[in-house]
Structures are given as C-alpha cells and as structure tokens.
Amino acid sequence: MIRTLSLPLAALALLLAFVLSLMLGATDIPVRQVTSLLLHPNNSTESLVIHSLRLPRTLVAALAGAGLGVAGLMFQAVTRNPVADPGILGVEAGGALGILVMVVFFPAASGVLFIPAAFAGGALAALVAYSVARRVGVTPLRLALAGVAVASLLGAITRGIQLLWEDRAQGALFALSGSVAGRTWDHVGQIAPWMLAGLLLAGLLTPKLNLLALGEDVARGLGARTERDAALVTGLGVLLAAASVSVVGPIGFVGLIVPHAARALAGADHRLSLPLCAFLGAAFLVAADVAARLVDRPAETPVGILVAAAGAPFFVLLARRIGRR
C-alpha cells in the first residue's frame, strides 16, 4: 500500500512545500492571495515578491534538490555503497572548485560554462576518490573516507585560491554560498535544461541501475556491460550534482538522506525509487529553504547549514550500522 501511494504522496509533499515557499518569508502572504497572484499578476508589492523573488528561488531549490537526490541514489547503486552521496564522494567540492577557477581565472567566461566546469571538477574528484579507495580495496567505508579526504583537499585548494586572489574570488562567493537566497530567473534558465535532461536520462537508465546494484558478477552474467554502464551512470550522477552546485553551491547530505528515504518507501526497484527520489529531494530542499527563512527572520540562514545539521547525525548512525556488519 505504501509503495503504491509513495509517489503521489511525495508529489503532494512537494506541492505543499512549494506553496509554503511562496507564502512564507520576511513578509507572509496568505494562500488565497498567492493563488490569485500566480494566476493574475499585477503591480502590487506582493506580486513582485512572488514572481521576482520567491518563485524563481523555489524552482531553483526544487531542481537542485531533485538533482542531488537522484545523483545520490545513482552513486549508491553503482558503488553499492549506502553512504555514497555527491558531498561525501567529493563531487560537490570538485564542482565548487571548478566554478571558482572559472570566476577567478576566466572572468569573462559566460555563465553557461559554469555547469561544464563544475562537471569537470566533480568528475575529477570522483575519479581520484575511487582510485585511492581501489588501491587498498574498495569497501563502503574506505570509499567514503577517500571521498572525505579528497573533499577536504579540494576545500583547502578552494580556500587557498580565495585567499590568494581575494578580489577576483568575491564574484564566486554568491554561487558557492550553499543557499538559494537571491536566485533569479537567470539561474532557473541556467540549471533547468541540464537538470531536466539529466533526470529524463536517469529515468531511462533505471533498468541498468537495477542490474548494477546486484553486483558486477551478477550483472555481467545477466548480459550487462558493467564497465560502460557504470561509467554512464556515474557520469550522469556527476552532471546532476554539478548542475546543482553551479547555482546553489555545495549542499551536503541531500543525496544521502533522500535515497534512503525513497528506498524505505518504495523498495529497491529503481524504476520507482528514482522518480520518488526526484520528488522527495525537491520537496526536502524547498522545505529546508522555508525553514531557513523562518529560523531568524527577517534574516536568512543558509539552507546548507540546516541540511548539514540534519544530515551529519544521519551519516554517523549509518556509518556505525555499516561498521557493525
């Protein structure tokens, strides 16, 4: 029963979070007025707040949350590692470094190049983390530790660039803030094509994900070309994470929490758990952004801080459970 209703309930949760995001902030707007202004915008202050401020940031949060949630599910399936996510594997840190390099050393480059730059940085980070873990034997905890080490190294490099080229690096602070505050329709246009295409391709790859999750030997015995499929799934996961990082910065643990929630509700079949991940990830980040506005309003808390506060204990409990096996 729960599996049958999980997708509609997740869609309903996303709709509720979306409406709350349009209603709540420094100034609250009643739900009836929100509905009316969405359908019939005018020149009022409330209409400006909804259409110019809250609607684009809500769409960015939903797209980024969906991308991070699905990326985490794909990484966990291809590595068969329950603690894998874009942040823990260093993908987000690599993506952030790629964006910083573009801003500091190629200031005239178009914003369209941010996602390819973040993809290159994230892919390099994932490759290094996997190579390090493979030398000593890949296990879930070793891969996670390698990813954390790579993320720490890339974070140190990022900080070094910010200190050495402080004036140039100022332009990247907004993009790497771990927040969706201030995101505009330009950011929606930047992320939407990549994210929607990536999520569509991820949906088409769910049969391959089901095979890869069984293990290389079993998948190969069932006719899968494991190395090619694993590379394709990993590359697509990096792309989804990079697209998210390019507009909201590194927001860790979304790709860790959401896949586990999706599998708990929908089971191990990725044909159901992957679209569920997209809805839950979107709803989770939009809801977290609403909470970030209310914690200390009228000031805003970066949403990455709230997500980390929820995700860090979850990661510790998950790692302890794996360590007992």
Side-chain angles (χ1 to χ4, degrees):
M1 185 67 176
I2 294 179
R3 292 186 182 185
T4 305
L5 296 176
S6 59
L7 206 55
L9 289 175
L12 183 61
L14 175 57
L15 178 61
L16 177 61
F18 201 94
V19 172
L20 290 175
S21 181
L22 298 181
M23 291 174 54
L24 304 177
T27 301
D28 295 344
I29 303 175
V31 63
R32 289 185 179 180
Q33 192 173 5
V34 168
T35 305
S36 175
L37 291 174
L38 279 177
L39 298 175
H40 306 287
N42 54 41
N43 295 324
S44 66
T45 301
E46 290 81 3
S47 182
L48 179 65
V49 167
I50 290 175
H51 289 276
S52 298
L53 300 177
R54 293 184 184 174
L55 186 55
R57 76 180 283 174
T58 302
L59 289 172
V60 166
L63 289 168
L68 290 172
V70 171
L73 182 72
M74 298 176 81
F75 289 144
Q76 290 174 18
V78 75
T79 62
R80 297 178 300 283
N81 181 354
V83 298
D85 95 315
I88 293 170
L89 294 182
V91 173
E92 290 186 0
L97 179 58
I99 294 172
L100 182 63
V101 167
M102 290 295 295
V103 171
V104 172
F105 299 110
F106 305 97
S110 170
V112 176
L113 298 177
F114 274 25
I115 292 180
F119 173 79
L124 180 61
L127 181 62
V128 172
Y130 185 77
S131 298
V132 170
R134 190 173 184 179
R135 288 189 176 184
V136 294
V138 178
T139 65
L141 285 180
R142 285 173 179 170
L143 184 58
L145 289 172
V148 170
V150 170
S152 298
L153 175 61
L154 294 178
I157 295 173
T158 298
R159 184 58 180 160
I161 293 176
Q162 289 175 333
L163 291 174
L164 292 174
W165 289 275
E166 185 174 358
D167 293 338
R168 297 184 188 179
Q170 292 298 317
L173 295 181
F174 178 75
L176 303 179
S177 60
S179 172
V180 296
R183 270 50 183 183
T184 66
W185 288 108
D186 288 338
H187 295 100
V188 176
Q190 178 181 327
I191 188 178
W194 295 88
M195 193 63 70
L196 295 176
L199 292 173
L200 177 60
L201 288 174
L204 296 175
L205 290 177
T206 50
K208 297 183 185 299
L209 280 173
N210 282 338
L211 289 177
L212 291 172
L214 297 174
E216 289 188 10
D217 293 337
V218 175
R220 194 176 291 113
L222 293 173
R225 299 176 62 178
T226 55
E227 292 185 0
R228 183 202 64 182
D229 292 347
L232 182 61
V233 169
T234 302
L236 187 55
V238 171
L239 177 63
L240 290 171
S244 300
V245 170
S246 71
V247 291
V248 302
I251 298 181
F253 299 112
V254 176
L256 179 67
I257 297 172
V258 170
H260 283 277
R263 280 194 294 268
L265 293 172
D269 189 347
H270 292 86
R271 291 173 296 180
L272 182 57
S273 62
L274 190 141
L276 184 59
C277 252
F279 281 111
L280 289 177
F284 179 75
L285 196 54
V286 172
D289 179 48
V290 174
R293 301 180 212 172
L294 302 180
V295 167
D296 190 29
R297 68 173 175 179
E300 292 196 16
T301 304
V303 67
I305 295 177
L306 294 186
V307 174
F314 182 84
F315 173 73
V316 172
L317 292 174
L318 189 60
R320 289 183 63 183
R321 189 177 71 180
I322 295 171
R324 294 194 188 105
R325 293 178 182 175

